[in-house]
């Protein structure tokens, strides 16, 4: 499998008036063709910022301060605004969390879809053909093209967003919590659709989610983030067998289980204040196993078995 | 919203009726006016009667004909100034609001400085600097009203530029000009409509002010504001009609536009004042 995306030592900071927020700190990973990498973390873990950074569109006052993002071998952080515009949507695209706001309420789906395709240099006839093809590929009928967004349900809107995101056959599709705003039944349908598209077009996905169970079920590999740092990264089977980081374990234990009579366990405390992150391991204030070492020394991300990386002094 | 529905709104219907009367005056002045506006048509200072429905001025010119022809100047200056200020103000507001940053800070500062002047005083100052002529008056009035468009549109753009569909448009790689024109402009159109209709009423009063002190046309060209000024000397002699009719027309036209603006803001559901 060829590698389509390599991220090296990526740092993103928000320069707000009340201080610098370290949203993404030294994240590195790579993604192969046809692979789905799930980025798991709670709110404020930097996972969405990472998603924006991959399109080099971190919202102000955020800035990518360091790192490389190689998309098909091209460092997109070195591209001009115009070159970036051309690769957005065609080489790398994103599906946003809330389908209720991502479509322009004043314009028909056909307009929006074709506008996008034509801005990427496709002529009118082909644009219509592609729009039809992908609207059907996501399980909608052509009639949807003639609708306004308010005439569609949340699930249908998300399907439209997905159709647009995959229609130019991008190397990487970032799905930023694509099911969070939808109800449970539709969530499953959308995830089935994404898995199906991944198989059919062998597209590479980055699935940003807060749901570890979803990640373990759908993704090929999983990256767990906390406070902007990668805590653990491994392929799905390895991670399911051997969760080495206390944070990953805590996330897993917080999942409700069938037949379990008691409430799931949960992690006490709050996510770290990324303006003044705690010294040492960023997770130590909430970690049940924290020792003196954790309070002083930041653990490196080490490979404990092949392809399984953990940032914890006690992992093995 | 259908066109018929808009016309059913009593504010818009009545305002439009008033404005359209004056527009008809301007368009068909040659047909409507019974006499020439610049040549004497009868004895001077005749009170309104059957021959001269609004009387005659001190040179024996028919007031009604002067009013009819005068509507041309007023409407022309107002139309020019509000389209000019609307065009410039909207573009600057859209760009400044969308791009933000230093550009936005500088533009906002400049616009706020203009806004800080009393509008009529600034229009007079600009008019004097440019020299009296209808076009210069239109430019002066346009400059005065640019900040209104700028502020309203900028505010609205800022409130919607973080909406999901704008973010999506960016993520899909659409160019900035396209995002502004096709994804932001349609959403701020209602704000634009209200400011537009509201401004026209103000612009008429400002225009009348400029005319009053002789900054638009040269005599003997008929003009409401200037006629109002000339009539002032004869009021004590009992010739009330020389001031009453031009003044009434100015008021009526401004009132007509104000009614339209009120109707528009009621339909659109946004109140600006």
């Amino acid at each position: 499998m060829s590698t389509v995306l390599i991220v090296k030592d990526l740092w993103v900071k928000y320069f707000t008036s009340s201080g610098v927020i370290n949203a993404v700190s030294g994240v590195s990973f790579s993604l192969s063709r046809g692979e789905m990498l799930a980025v798991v973390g709670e709110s404020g873990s930097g996972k969405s910022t990472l998603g924006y950074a991959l399109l080099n569109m971190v919202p102000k006052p955020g800035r990518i301060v360091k790192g490389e993002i190689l998309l098909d071998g091209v460092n997109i952080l070195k591209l001009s605004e115009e070159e970036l515009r051309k690769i957005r949507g065609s080489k790398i695209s994103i599906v946003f969390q809330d389908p209720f706001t991502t479509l322009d309420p004043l314009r028909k789906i056909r307009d929006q879809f074709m506008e996008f395709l034509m801005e990427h240099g496709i002529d009118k006839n082909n644009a219509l053909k592609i729009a039809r093809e992908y609207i059907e590929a996501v399980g909608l009928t052509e009639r949807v093209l003639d609708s306004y967004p308010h005439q569609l349900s949340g699930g249908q809107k998300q399907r439209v967003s997905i159709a647009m995101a995959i229609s130019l056959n991008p190397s990487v599709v970032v799905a930023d919590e694509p099911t969070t705003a939808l109800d449970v039944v539709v969530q499953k349908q959308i995830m089935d659709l994404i898995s199906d598209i991944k198989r059919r077009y062998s597209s590479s996905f980055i699935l940003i989610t807060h749901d570890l169970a979803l990640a373990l079920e759908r993704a090929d590999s999983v990256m767990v983030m906390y406070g902007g740092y990668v805590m653990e990264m491994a392929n799905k089977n390895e991670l399911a067998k051997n969760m080495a980081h206390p944070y990953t374990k805590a996330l897993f234990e917080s999942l409700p289980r069938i037949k379990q009579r008691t409430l799931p366990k949960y992690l006490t405390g709050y996510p770290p204040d990324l303006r003044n992150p705690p010294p040492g391991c960023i997770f130590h204030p909430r970690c049940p196993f924290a020792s003196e070492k954790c309070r002083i020394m930041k653990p490196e991300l080490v490979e404990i078995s092949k392809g399984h990386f953990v940032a914890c002094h006690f992992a093995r | 919203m259908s066109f018929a529905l808009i016309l059913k709104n009593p504010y818009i219907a009545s305002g439009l009726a008033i404005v359209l009367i004056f527009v008809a005056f301007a368009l068909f002045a040659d047909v409507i006016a019974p006499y020439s506006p610049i040549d004497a048509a009868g004895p001077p200072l005749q009170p309104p009667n059957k021959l001269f429905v609004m009387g005659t001025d001190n040179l024996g010119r028919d007031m009604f004909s002067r009013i009819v022809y005068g509507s041309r100047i007023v409407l022309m200056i107002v139309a020019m100034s509000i389209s000019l200020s609307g065009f410039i103000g909207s573009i600057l507001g859209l760009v400044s609001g969308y791009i933000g940053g230093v550009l936005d800070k500088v533009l906002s500062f400049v616009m706020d400085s203009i806004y800080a002047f009393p509008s009529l005083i600034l229009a007079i100052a600009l008019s004097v600097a440019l020299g009296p002529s209808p076009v210069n008056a239109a430019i002066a009035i346009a400059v005065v009203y640019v900040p209104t468009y700028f502020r309203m549109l900028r505010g609205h753009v800022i409130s919607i530029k973080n909406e999901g569909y704008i973010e999506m448009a960016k993520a899909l790689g659409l160019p900035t000009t396209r995002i502004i024109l096709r994804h932001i402009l349609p959403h701020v159109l209602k704000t634009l409509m209200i400011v537009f209709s509201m401004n026209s009423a103000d612009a008429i009063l400002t225009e009348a002010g400029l005319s009053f002190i002789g900054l638009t046309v040269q005599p003997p060209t008929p003009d409401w504001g200037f006629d109002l000024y000339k009539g002032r000397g004869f009021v004590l002699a009992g010739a009330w009609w020389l001031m009453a009719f031009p003044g009434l027309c100015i008021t009526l036209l401004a009132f007509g536009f104000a009614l339209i603006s009120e109707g528009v803001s009621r339909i659109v559901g946004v109140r600006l004042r």
Side-chain angles (χ1 to χ4, degrees):
Chain A
M1 277 197 291
S2 59
T3 307
V4 289
L5 179 72
I6 301 171
V7 174
K8 281 187 203 158
D9 196 26
L10 186 71
W11 294 74
V12 184
K13 295 182 185 207
Y14 288 98
F15 296 87
T16 70
S17 48
S18 57
V20 178
I21 299 171
N22 303 292
V24 174
S25 304
V27 170
S28 305
F29 64 89
S30 68
L31 187 71
S32 309
R33 178 143 196 84
E35 183 187 353
M36 183 185 289
L37 169 73
V39 180
V40 183
E42 61 194 294
S43 308
S45 62
K47 57 189 196 302
S48 283
T49 299
L50 176 64
Y52 283 111
L54 293 178
L55 280 87
N56 198 356
M57 53 181 279
V58 178
K60 281 178 198 165
R63 220 166 58 217
I64 298 174
V65 290
K66 199 179 151 198
E68 272 179 39
I69 299 173
L70 300 167
L71 178 67
D72 291 330
V74 179
N75 186 357
I76 65 161
L77 302 182
K78 293 242 164 73
L79 296 182
S80 72
E81 200 47 47
E82 178 62 16
E83 289 166 319
L84 260 179
R85 183 183 81 63
K86 283 189 181 134
I87 65 155
R88 283 185 194 139
S90 65
K91 290 243 176 223
I92 182 162
S93 61
I94 186 164
V95 176
F96 288 107
Q97 178 173 351
D98 183 358
F100 294 90
T101 63
T102 47
L103 297 169
D104 190 332
L106 295 182
R107 298 171 61 204
K108 286 186 178 169
I109 306 297
R110 177 201 301 273
D111 267 18
Q112 304 188 34
F113 208 142
M114 287 182 57
E115 174 188 42
F116 154 59
L117 294 172
M118 285 159 77
E119 278 301 334
H120 284 285
I122 289 166
D123 68 63
K124 208 171 169 183
N125 293 331
N126 279 330
L128 190 60
K129 227 163 65 194
I130 294 176
R132 284 202 184 117
E133 180 191 332
Y134 279 89
I135 279 293
E136 275 164 20
V138 296
L140 297 172
T141 55
E142 225 190 288
R143 193 182 49 83
V144 168
L145 285 176
D146 287 312
S147 312
Y148 285 96
H150 73 269
Q151 296 170 308
L152 304 178
S153 70
Q156 285 173 320
K157 281 186 233 199
Q158 196 60 304
R159 281 168 196 266
V160 171
S161 302
I162 293 172
M164 286 167 82
I166 61 169
S167 58
L168 289 175
N169 205 6
S171 306
V172 179
V173 180
V174 179
D176 185 2
E177 305 201 33
T179 59
T180 306
L182 305 170
D183 64 62
V184 191
V185 178
V186 183
Q187 283 186 13
K188 179 178 181 314
Q189 292 170 356
I190 294 292
M191 281 319 299
D192 284 346
L193 173 67
I194 289 177
S195 304
D196 178 51
I197 285 165
K198 179 185 153 243
R199 213 172 317 113
R200 232 184 321 158
Y201 298 93
S202 59
S203 342
S204 313
F205 274 88
I206 290 180
L207 176 69
I208 296 171
T209 176
H210 53 246
D211 186 348
L212 183 61
L214 182 81
L216 288 172
E217 183 192 338
R218 302 283 180 168
D220 302 306
S221 41
V222 178
M223 182 164 99
V224 179
M225 284 182 75
Y226 180 82
Y229 287 88
V230 175
M231 297 284 107
E232 186 163 10
M233 182 160 61
N235 86 38
K236 170 180 77 173
N237 297 328
E238 164 67 19
L239 191 71
K241 263 199 314 239
N242 175 21
M243 291 185 191
H245 198 284
Y247 180 63
T248 317
K249 284 181 197 156
L251 270 185
F252 189 70
E253 279 164 6
S254 72
L255 299 172
R257 256 150 243 178
I258 294 175
K259 288 186 185 162
Q260 181 184 337
R261 288 281 164 202
T262 52
L263 281 174
K265 287 187 192 162
Y266 60 92
L267 206 51
T268 51
Y270 297 95
D273 176 7
L274 295 179
R275 283 187 192 88
N276 322 293
C281 174
I282 192 146
F283 184 57
H284 86 254
R286 298 171 81 185
C287 183
F289 310 108
S291 72
E292 199 51 45
K293 191 180 180 191
C294 303
R295 277 180 264 278
I296 300 161
M297 229 174 89
K298 196 179 285 297
E300 295 290 317
L301 200 62
V302 290
E303 191 165 13
I304 56 163
S305 62
K306 194 176 178 322
H308 188 166
F309 295 86
V310 186
C312 179
H313 294 305
F314 301 105
R316 72 202 96 240
Chain B
M1 180 171 22
S2 71
F3 198 59
L5 203 72
I6 296 175
L7 289 181
K8 261 189 199 153
N9 180 298
Y11 291 95
I12 293 189
S14 47
L16 214 53
I18 296 173
V19 171
L20 284 179
I21 288 174
F22 288 109
V23 171
F25 275 10
L27 288 177
F28 308 112
D30 306 328
V31 185
I32 294 171
Y35 307 98
S36 154
I38 44 178
D39 297 323
L45 297 177
Q46 290 288 303
N49 56 39
K50 269 187 198 148
L51 270 177
F52 307 105
V53 282
M54 291 184 184
T56 58
D57 69 2
N58 57 323
L59 298 174
R61 296 176 295 197
D62 176 38
M63 273 314 287
F64 179 63
S65 300
R66 286 187 69 78
I67 294 276
V68 170
Y69 276 97
S71 61
R72 284 186 170 173
I73 295 288
V74 182
L75 288 173
M76 190 191 79
I77 293 180
V78 167
M80 267 168 58
S81 61
I82 61 177
S83 16
L84 196 63
S85 58
F87 185 70
I88 296 174
S90 318
I91 289 183
L92 292 181
L94 283 168
V95 171
S96 183
Y98 184 73
I99 309 238
V102 183
L103 176 81
D104 184 43
K105 287 216 170 64
V106 172
L107 273 176
S108 298
F109 182 76
V110 172
M111 293 295 164
D112 284 349
S113 324
I114 299 178
Y115 205 73
F117 282 98
S119 58
L120 186 58
I121 305 290
L122 182 59
I124 290 171
L126 284 168
S127 248
V128 169
L130 294 168
S133 88
V135 174
N136 287 347
I139 294 173
I141 298 171
V143 170
V144 169
Y145 289 112
V146 161
T148 320
Y149 288 91
F150 175 84
R151 285 159 59 111
M152 287 299 175
L153 284 196
R154 174 179 170 271
H156 200 162
V157 169
I158 287 174
S159 79
I160 68 162
K161 78 168 175 185
N162 291 325
E163 289 283 337
Y165 50 86
I166 303 298
E167 206 167 45
M168 177 87 160
K170 263 190 261 178
L172 289 175
L174 300 188
T176 307
T177 39
R178 181 161 266 272
I179 294 179
I180 292 179
L181 291 179
R182 296 283 283 159
H183 295 262
I184 289 188
L185 184 60
H187 290 265
V188 297
L189 221 49
K190 61 179 181 184
T191 308
L192 188 61
M193 272 161 57
I194 296 171
V195 183
F196 202 71
S197 54
M198 199 174 80
N199 254 2
S200 19
D202 287 351
I204 285 166
L205 298 178
T206 310
E207 193 277 340
L210 291 184
S211 291
F212 189 83
I213 52 177
L215 288 171
T216 56
V217 296
Q218 300 297 322
T221 315
D223 178 73
W224 297 353
F226 198 53
D227 281 359
L228 192 70
Y229 168 76
K230 282 182 302 180
R232 163 200 62 111
F234 302 94
V235 172
L236 287 180
W240 54 269
W241 56 91
L242 291 187
M243 283 196 91
F245 292 115
L248 200 64
C249 285
I250 293 168
T251 316
L252 253 182
L253 188 55
F255 184 59
F257 277 116
L259 281 174
I260 295 178
S261 134
E262 181 66 22
V264 170
S265 53
R266 275 174 195 243
I267 286 180
V268 176
V270 182
R271 293 196 60 86
L272 297 179
R273 56 179 182 186

